Amino acid sequence: MQRDADASRSPAARSRRRLGLVLLVVVLAVKAVVLAPHVGGALTALRTPDPRWLLLAVVAELLSMLAFARVQRRVLASGAPGCPCGGWPRSP
């Protein structure tokens, strides 16, 4: 299907598309070379995490999940007044 669309395009449109792809590859290659030292430092930090930061991240994630559950409970309660939101809906 893509080949049919490419065949119907003009040669100028195809060359612009190829030029765009080449530019994209060049930009990504330059970014990879420039950011390589920073990625190495990040990987080193991931290999030896500080337990305090790890504990802080777990607590923050737990609080985030609790806040999401609270918002979901309010949304469900406002949309279905007869629905028991204290637990899972029970099947008859």
Side-chain angles (χ1 to χ4, degrees), residues 20-36:
L21 288 174
V22 168
L23 285 175
L24 177 67
V25 168
V26 168
V27 167
L28 290 176
V30 168
K31 285 185 82 84
V33 169
V34 169
L35 295 176

Side-chain angles (χ1 to χ4, degrees), residues 2 6 15 27 34 37 43 57 62 66 88:
Q2 181 66 24
D6 284 340
S15 63
V27 167
V34 169
L43 290 176
L62 178 65
L66 290 173
W88 290 99

